[in-house]
Each structure stands twice: as C-alpha cells, then as structure tokens.
Amino acid sequence: MSEGRVSQGTHEDVKRNLHYIADQLYELAKKITETTQRTDKNLALLNIVKKAVLEVHHIELAAEDTNDVLAWHVRNLFELDVILRHILTSEVVLGDWFAQKLTDEIEMLEGVLGMAAGDSPEKMAAAANVTKRIEELREILARARHDYNLPVASRFIISRIAKGVGLSAEYKAIYKMTSTYTHPSSYVVNSAPERGILAWQIRTIFLT
C-alpha cells in the first residue's frame, strides 16, 4: 500500500494515511516559514497550508464518524485547493483574497450588531463598540482598495473559480455529494443516511 492514498484497507490504515498527509503538509508549512521570503504570496500559501493541516486532522478524527461530519471537512479541503490555485493566478486576485478578510470581519460584526440590538445600557455600549470597529475596518478596506487598485472585495464564488482553474467537473461531483450532507436535506432527515451501499460508497470517496 502506497502512502498518500488508500485504495483498500482498514479504518486504521486510512487514519494512518491521513496522519501521514497532515505531517507532510505540516513540514511544507514549516519549510515555507523557515526558507522563503515573507511575501504576500508566501503568506497566503502558508495560511492555506496550515488550514489544510487542520482539515486533514479533522477528517482523520472523523474517519469513523458520520458522513455529514466528514462532508464539511472534505468540502473545505477541496475549496482550499481551488482558492490556492486561483489566488496564484495574479497579484490582483491575491490582493482581493487578503481584502476579503476585512469584508468577512465586517459582515460578521454586522451580524453581531443585529444580535446586540436592545435599549439596555450594556447592549447600547456593546453596539457602539461594534459600530466603531466596523467603521475602522471600512476605512482600512477603502485605503487598501485605493493603494493597491483592488476591485470591490467579495467572497469568491467557488463554482466560478473552480471552472477558471480547470476543476469544474470535480466541483460539481464534490458538491453534489457534500451538499446533501451539509444541509438538512430530505435524504438526511427522512432516511438512515449512514446505512446502505450509497452511504458506504460516498464515505469511501470522502476518505480516499
């Protein structure tokens, strides 16, 4: 059995192989940190590799869990691959990726602001602090757009960028399998989704 992929084997074989993959990614992250210049491209690569390590570890831990747990991490890992390929296509796309961190935080804080609505002194003070932070982030984002000639930052549409990097077929296949599990679909709610040949086949694909 070759390391890096398991075609046949026990759950322990699969978990051992996943651990091996995580170790390889960890060594890559270490190499990037120790031997490369600190550039935006290398920083983006490092952060994605570190996140990939976590996702592989999650898959390893969930190897004997339900398919819905596996589906989240399998899809995240695929999206990381697509995003990495996409941001390496140009400096503008790379800058847009970093700018999205600001827009993501703004959106989350806007959600917090909605939940913090109320007329008590505590909630009003909390809302004021959140509003101030949102304004600060918007100013930083505006300066970044101006200084680096960035487009209006918005989250990548994975289907679109997967097509752009030649992974459209893989995107369609993975999303058809994982979306059923990552939402309260009729299949998950009204059947025993962990039983039967279909669940076993999908599980095998997730783990290999």
Side-chain angles (χ1 to χ4, degrees):
M1 181 180 66
S2 61
E3 291 180 311
R5 186 175 180 87
V6 175
S7 57
Q8 293 180 338
T10 66
H11 275 296
E12 289 305 314
D13 292 330
V14 171
K15 291 172 71 173
R16 183 163 47 249
N17 199 60
L18 288 166
H19 193 80
Y20 168 79
I21 293 171
D23 283 347
Q24 293 296 105
L25 288 170
Y26 174 80
E27 289 301 320
L28 175 58
K30 186 177 178 181
K31 182 177 180 181
I32 295 169
T33 301
E34 295 177 348
T35 65
T36 62
Q37 292 183 331
R38 187 175 176 81
T39 64
D40 286 345
K41 184 177 291 186
N42 287 336
L43 178 60
L45 175 59
L46 174 63
N47 289 339
I48 287 178
V49 171
K50 287 165 66 176
K51 178 60 175 172
V53 171
L54 291 176
E55 293 297 342
V56 174
H57 273 312
H58 285 313
I59 294 172
E60 178 189 354
L61 293 172
E64 297 181 23
D65 210 321
T66 55
N67 282 0
D68 56 339
V69 176
L70 283 169
W72 278 108
H73 301 301
V74 168
R75 189 160 80 173
N76 285 349
L77 202 55
F78 173 74
E79 289 189 2
L80 287 171
D81 183 20
V82 173
I83 289 169
L84 177 59
R85 293 168 188 257
H86 182 57
I87 64 176
L88 293 179
T89 60
S90 77
E91 293 296 325
V92 172
V93 174
L94 179 63
D96 184 29
W97 169 242
F98 281 115
Q100 285 178 46
K101 177 181 180 297
L102 298 173
T103 56
D104 288 345
E105 187 173 347
I106 290 170
E107 285 189 9
M108 289 189 293
L109 287 172
E110 288 173 340
V112 171
L113 193 60
M115 295 298 291
D119 55 6
S120 69
E122 294 79 8
K123 286 191 174 182
M124 292 177 67
N129 289 334
V130 172
T131 300
K132 180 180 178 182
R133 178 58 179 165
I134 290 173
E135 292 172 352
E136 291 172 349
L137 289 170
R138 284 177 176 161
E139 290 177 2
I140 295 170
L141 182 59
R143 288 199 301 270
R145 286 175 181 163
H146 177 270
D147 293 344
Y148 299 100
N149 194 29
L150 297 176
V152 176
S154 59
R155 287 194 182 99
F156 292 145
I157 299 174
I158 299 299
S159 60
R160 186 179 299 167
I161 65 174
K163 183 177 180 180
V165 298
L167 293 176
S168 183
E170 290 83 352
Y171 165 83
K172 291 176 181 177
I174 287 175
Y175 269 66
K176 283 181 178 180
M177 289 186 295
T178 59
S179 292
T180 299
Y181 282 105
T182 56
H183 300 283
S185 64
S186 180
Y187 174 75
V188 170
V189 173
N190 296 315
S191 65
E194 300 308 317
R195 301 176 184 174
I197 187 66
L198 176 59
W200 179 83
Q201 289 173 329
I202 291 176
R203 185 179 192 78
T204 301
I205 293 170
F206 284 171
L207 291 173
T208 58

